[in-house]
Amino acid sequence: MAQLPPITISTLDLARLEALLEKQPDSDTVRRLEDELDRAQVVAPENMPGNIVTMNSVIRFSMAGGETFTKTLCFPRDIDGSKEKISVLAPIGSALLGLEAGQSIEWPGPNGKTLTVTIAEVKYQPERAGDYQS
């Protein structure tokens, strides 16, 4: 896989994600998300650049091959069967976290296939909207 791009995470998301991960059984997905959190630049929510994917952001992104999706990056508790939501514990969800618009990442996907994801736009970001409770 290619070198991983830099990522940025808010202190609030970091605390919530660490609490979530403490309750999860060990798995490749959990370890990858832990690795992402370990390498992230961490900033206060009010200092988060508006083009970064944070928890509860609505993102437009594309996969290799050109297919484009618009999804909300959610905590597992917020997944309600909606096709517009993706869990941070899903391989693609943990790949999206912390990226900025224009960045791409290669990430292990289901069945050992490598996924390439490119962020086209952060349509909504709670921090940009001043919503620190989501």
Side-chain angles (χ1 to χ4, degrees):
M1 279 198 289
Q3 184 176 358
L4 296 172
I7 60 172
T8 304
I9 297 174
S10 77
T11 53
L12 188 56
D13 281 351
L14 179 62
R16 291 174 179 167
L17 288 165
E18 286 178 337
L20 170 69
L21 289 172
E22 285 178 6
K23 299 173 186 166
Q24 299 302 309
D26 189 42
S27 70
D28 285 344
T29 301
V30 167
R31 283 191 297 278
R32 280 190 208 102
L33 182 53
E34 288 171 338
D35 289 345
E36 287 294 274
L37 297 178
D38 287 345
R39 73 182 191 85
Q41 174 187 353
V42 181
V43 301
E46 58 274 9
N47 295 331
M48 178 62 68
N51 63 342
I52 302 283
V53 177
T54 63
M55 293 305 301
N56 300 304
S57 289
V58 178
I59 335 130
R60 189 168 51 85
F61 63 95
S62 61
M63 305 286 285
E67 193 171 5
T68 300
F69 302 90
T70 299
K71 304 271 184 189
T72 301
L73 183 62
C74 296
F75 291 95
R77 68 174 184 257
D78 298 323
I79 298 296
D80 56 9
S82 168
K83 294 183 187 230
E84 287 80 38
K85 294 182 178 179
I86 189 163
S87 171
V88 71
L89 292 181
I92 191 71
S94 53
L96 293 167
L97 181 67
L99 292 177
E100 70 179 83
Q103 281 185 314
S104 296
I105 190 170
E106 289 182 356
W107 198 254
N111 305 323
K113 295 172 76 176
T114 298
L115 305 171
T116 301
V117 181
T118 302
I119 306 299
E121 176 185 12
V122 179
K123 296 175 71 113
Y124 169 80
Q125 181 204 73
E127 292 82 357
R128 187 172 65 211
D131 178 7
Y132 304 118
Q133 302 303 313
S134 295

